[in-house]
Amino acid sequence: MIKRPTPYDKFEDETWQGFFRDLYAFLTLNVVVTLNFGNILSASIGTLTVTVRGAKSGDCVILGPPSTVEAGLVWSAVVSANDTVTIRLYNSTALAIDPASASWRVAVFKY
C-alpha cells in the first residue's frame, strides 16, 4: 500500500517539489489505451468505456489525445461508474468521420 505523503514528511531533496511530486503520483491514476470509435455521423457522438481501476464518481478526468485526431472532433470524459471512464467523441462537422484507431492517455485525479 502506498503511504499518503504529509507536509511533515522528509524527501530526498528536502523541498516542497518532492512533496508535490509524491502527492501527484498518489492522487493520479493513468492508463494508455487504444481506442477505435468507428464511424461517427455528422453532429453525433461516439462513446467508448475504459477501465481505470480506482476511479470513482466525482473524480476529475483529463484526456491526452493522439496528435492525429481528425479535425472537427471534440472529446470529453467522465467517471461513469466505479473503475469506469466513459469517453465521448463529438463530430461537429457536416460529414461522417471514421477516426483512426489510436492511443489515448486517460488520467484520473482522485478527490
Side-chain angles (χ1 to χ4, degrees):
M1 172 170 248
I2 299 173
K3 178 186 175 289
R4 181 182 291 250
T6 72
Y8 306 104
D9 290 341
K10 289 277 189 178
F11 297 92
E12 286 180 24
D13 57 8
E14 295 191 19
T15 66
W16 283 104
Q17 181 182 8
F19 168 74
F20 289 112
R21 179 192 61 235
D22 291 352
L23 185 62
Y24 171 82
F26 180 78
L27 297 176
T28 306
L29 309 169
N30 285 289
V31 297
V32 176
V33 293
T34 299
L35 299 178
N36 187 357
F37 284 90
N39 196 46
I40 304 172
L41 300 177
S42 172
S44 295
I45 298 171
T47 303
L48 293 175
T49 59
V50 174
T51 298
V52 180
R53 300 213 186 285
K56 304 283 186 222
S57 179
D59 289 345
C60 178
V61 181
I62 296 178
L63 293 176
S67 61
T68 57
V69 174
E70 289 80 353
L73 295 177
V74 181
W75 53 89
S76 66
V78 64
V79 177
S80 53
N82 288 346
D83 302 326
T84 304
V85 172
T86 297
I87 300 171
R88 295 182 182 102
L89 201 56
Y90 172 67
N91 178 0
S92 65
T93 70
L95 301 172
I97 297 176
D98 187 359
S101 178
S103 293
W104 291 66
R105 177 175 300 278
V106 181
V108 176
F109 292 88
K110 302 295 297 164
Y111 285 97

